[in-house]
Amino acid sequence: MEVLANAAVAEICKLVDDDYAVFRLEITQSRKENRALRRKLLELKVARERAERTMRERVVASRPSSVKILDRYRGMARGEGHTTGGQRSFVKPAGHNTWRDDQPITVDEGGGTSNQHVIVIESADAEATGPGVKQERSEGEEDPWHSRDIQAGVAGAPPVATEDPTPAPALPRTRRSITEVSGTQNAVLKSETKTLTVTHRLLNTGSDHRSDPERLGLGRLGCPPAPGSEFLPVFHQSQRMVHSRGDSDVLDTGGDDPSYSYATEMDPGNMPLGLETQTDLSRGDWNQYNSSVYSEGRLDKEGEVIVVDEVTVKVEGDAPPTWNADSHLGDGHSQGRDFLDYRESLETDLNITTHSPLHLFGDHDPVSTSMGPSDSHSHNLFDQVLNSNDRARVPAQGVGATSGNSKEKRFLCMFCNKGFSCLQKVERHQRVHTGEKPYSCTQCEKRFSRQDHLKMHLKVHTGERPFACTHCGKRFSERRYLRIHQQKNHSTL
DNA sequence: CTGGGGATGGGGCCC
DNA sequence: GGGGCCCCATCCCCA
């Protein structure tokens, strides 16, 4: 037994290491690409400045009245600017000859300095060149994989994002950038700036559906259409605990934070940027695992493919993460720390509108499943999800989860694609996958995913047996027991 | 093996 | 429409 366990652990570790190596390779490639882009940008800038200078001299010679304007522009380009318009320039950090990943990019805007954070999620076929995360750094960030903060702009005004006016070119490599500037003026910059590219395919259930949000019916970042009805994959994150007893379960770190409870559905018209965070989480190597998970769900409803390839993540701020993967990871797997930290950085910002259930899958590292809420339970989340999928899939194969025979089931579980008629149901259902058990018994600390289950459980403590047999007087805690009892013992009566 | 009982997931109804 | 609740089915454990 022990030998088997050790062998299993060794295999798991090997898988982790392999995946980590792949991931690191992708990171490296992405960084290289990012550096190249930065260099290119710098060259363009220099060339433009030179051209402007030339033009300025020419204008000075002909129209002295233009000097002021051009000087102003020039100054702006150097980062001294006082522009109020759309012209912005990057200021190359002093002392560096080339752009590096960790260099801040200062966006001079209106005399203030803003941080420029852009993440572009490009189509999945970029995988051919290595599905990497090309991260653009901003001030205060030390390492892209430790980039802690993704703010979806939930609080306050909705995030303003401007898509690149030029329509995304057709495949194979569509790219769209949405730039947000977190700074004094919260202005929106178009992405003539550098972009951070994240390759991702979310919920690609296998078909070769490409990543045109419009085609997918996402609008800007919305919900994909589905044949016959609106299918809304629901991303859900609910509160951790309702009746917290302060137990030490590793996954209750978010329990006391009221803001930890939120649920979001991908709404075509109101798609918060949190979605992007979500999608970002599952990019890269996760796809490997995701595909296996989602393909299970796909068995139910072939053709109901949800693909989100191009989404944008807003990165800003310096808010520290509230949940550290360190506390959830055993030692000996620190190789994946960066990986996990990055993931956590995307997840733990409480302002993120949506919360990726994928984080519960973690990477396809079974060891990491200990991060799941079900850690304290008899089986890990990995098994739980798969088993749950199997279970949930059964009824869906019948009439079809979205066939709408009785009631239109337009809310799709993003884990298994199972359809539900209302949002609460799918949120409730998704706890099967996430392992969330927000309802805790105050008597025995047992937890439940549903309130009614907790209520039922409480009868164990109270000894409540409200259902009495009218024939023999025997009492039962649930009606079903009474019915079974009566069928067996009093069926002839 | 069987029955009782706890846990859990889905569907439906009511407010 | 959402939340709460109930009913039902199923799985599992245990005596």
Side-chain angles (χ1 to χ4, degrees):
Chain A
M1 191 64 181
E2 189 174 342
V3 175
L4 286 174
N6 289 335
V9 170
E11 182 135 7
I12 289 167
C13 292
K14 184 176 179 300
L15 285 172
V16 172
D17 292 341
D18 292 346
D19 294 336
Y20 178 74
V22 171
F23 201 76
R24 292 294 295 180
L25 181 62
E26 292 173 0
I27 294 171
T28 304
Q29 290 174 346
S30 302
R31 285 182 176 176
K32 285 178 183 173
E33 190 172 339
N34 200 17
R35 272 196 291 270
L37 288 171
R38 285 180 169 172
R39 275 190 223 105
K40 194 171 179 181
L41 178 69
L42 186 63
E43 290 168 5
L44 287 172
K45 188 164 294 303
V46 170
R48 192 171 76 172
E49 234 178 295
R50 196 171 303 155
E52 286 163 359
R53 190 174 303 142
T54 306
M55 181 179 168
R56 173 178 169 268
E57 289 167 357
R58 213 175 298 159
V59 169
V60 165
S62 61
R63 291 200 307 173
S65 60
S66 301
V67 170
K68 185 176 178 181
I69 298 173
L70 291 170
D71 276 341
R72 180 181 172 196
Y73 178 78
R74 187 176 162 215
M76 178 194 67
R78 289 171 178 162
E80 322 155 358
H82 305 279
T83 179
T84 56
Q87 299 287 352
R88 295 172 181 85
S89 297
F90 291 113
V91 180
K92 179 186 168 187
H96 295 276
N97 292 328
T98 57
W99 290 98
R100 293 188 348 178
D101 284 352
D102 53 354
Q103 285 178 349
I105 300 169
T106 303
V107 178
D108 194 27
E109 180 188 8
T113 298
S114 302
N115 293 340
Q116 183 82 10
H117 313 262
V118 185
I119 294 178
V120 175
I121 296 181
E122 62 185 1
S123 55
D125 46 350
E127 292 164 3
T129 59
V133 177
K134 295 94 181 175
Q135 283 225 352
E136 172 156 323
R137 298 286 197 68
S138 56
E139 281 183 354
E141 292 181 12
E142 298 176 2
D143 185 297
W145 300 103
H146 290 80
S147 169
R148 294 283 183 185
D149 311 300
I150 296 230
Q151 183 166 339
V154 179
V160 183
T162 301
E163 296 185 13
D164 194 320
T166 52
L171 296 171
R173 190 184 185 95
T174 58
R175 175 174 299 193
R176 171 177 316 199
S177 60
I178 300 176
T179 303
E180 293 196 27
V181 175
S182 64
T184 54
Q185 297 196 3
N186 195 26
V188 178
L189 299 184
K190 303 232 174 149
S191 56
E192 65 178 286
T193 63
K194 298 185 296 174
T195 58
L196 187 159
T197 303
V198 176
T199 300
H200 173 60
R201 173 176 298 191
L202 172 69
L203 296 181
N204 187 344
T205 55
S207 298
D208 190 22
H209 286 58
R210 288 303 181 181
S211 61
D212 185 5
E214 280 77 18
R215 188 187 57 74
L216 289 166
L218 293 173
R220 280 179 43 211
L221 288 168
C223 175
S229 66
E230 306 169 55
F231 293 104
L232 308 175
V234 177
F235 299 82
H236 175 227
Q237 173 64 43
S238 67
Q239 71 277 9
R240 289 292 186 194
M241 293 287 286
V242 171
H243 305 290
S244 175
R245 300 231 339 173
D247 57 50
S248 58
D249 195 297
V250 292
L251 284 157
D252 273 349
T253 36
D256 293 321
D257 193 328
S259 63
Y260 203 66
S261 173
Y262 44 85
T264 301
E265 107 182 24
M266 294 169 67
D267 187 330
N270 185 24
M271 189 60 222
L273 288 174
L275 167 66
E276 294 90 62
T277 300
Q278 185 132 20
T279 60
D280 184 72
L281 296 176
S282 53
R283 61 153 302 282
D285 283 351
W286 285 309
N287 290 339
Q288 209 176 339
Y289 176 68
N290 294 340
S291 61
S292 66
V293 172
Y294 291 122
S295 62
E296 286 203 354
R298 189 171 62 93
L299 296 177
D300 299 345
K301 298 175 284 296
E302 190 75 30
E304 289 176 15
V305 178
I306 303 169
V307 181
V308 180
D309 286 336
E310 291 187 17
V311 286
T312 299
V313 179
K314 176 186 177 184
V315 183
E316 74 173 10
D318 332 77
T322 57
W323 193 57
N324 194 340
D326 293 3
S327 61
H328 304 282
L329 290 175
D331 293 332
H333 300 284
S334 58
Q335 271 188 327
R337 181 60 46 82
D338 289 353
F339 176 80
L340 290 165
D341 280 354
Y342 177 66
R343 183 183 59 191
E344 294 307 321
S345 73
L346 298 178
E347 295 168 355
T348 53
D349 191 312
L350 298 181
N351 289 325
I352 295 174
T353 305
T354 57
H355 197 97
S356 174
L358 300 174
H359 77 287
L360 295 168
F361 295 144
D363 36 51
H364 43 287
D365 169 15
V367 175
S368 297
T369 58
S370 62
M371 296 170 62
S374 60
D375 183 52
S376 60
H377 302 290
S378 58
H379 44 268
N380 62 34
L381 178 65
F382 201 90
D383 291 336
Q384 187 176 352
V385 169
L386 295 181
N387 292 335
S388 300
N389 279 340
D390 289 339
R391 254 196 217 180
R393 186 163 57 243
V394 173
Q397 285 172 338
V399 257
T402 55
S403 64
N405 267 4
S406 55
K407 214 172 185 179
E408 188 182 25
K409 297 178 177 180
R410 62 193 197 95
F411 295 96
L412 290 182
C413 171
M414 65 162 295
F415 292 93
C416 65
N417 274 358
K418 187 173 165 66
F420 294 86
S421 58
C422 59
L423 182 61
Q424 297 101 311
K425 291 292 189 286
V426 70
E427 287 176 354
R428 188 180 74 177
H429 160 79
Q430 285 184 161
R431 294 194 195 126
V432 174
H433 303 300
T434 64
E436 286 178 289
K437 295 175 182 292
Y439 302 97
S440 175
C441 176
T442 57
Q443 306 292 319
C444 68
E445 299 185 8
K446 271 187 74 74
R447 295 181 195 170
F448 302 89
S449 61
R450 288 165 48 170
Q451 192 175 21
D452 52 338
H453 289 165
L454 171 62
K455 187 179 176 181
M456 186 69 69
H457 163 79
L458 285 174
K459 291 180 181 177
V460 175
H461 299 299
T462 62
E464 182 183 355
R465 290 172 178 265
F467 303 100
C469 177
T470 54
H471 304 290
C472 66
K474 190 172 182 181
R475 304 186 71 87
F476 300 90
S477 61
E478 296 182 42
R479 192 184 305 276
R480 60 186 174 119
Y481 301 135
L482 171 62
R483 191 177 57 253
I484 293 171
H485 164 79
Q486 287 180 333
Q487 284 174 351
K488 285 181 179 175
N489 301 295
H490 309 293
S491 58
T492 57
L493 298 178

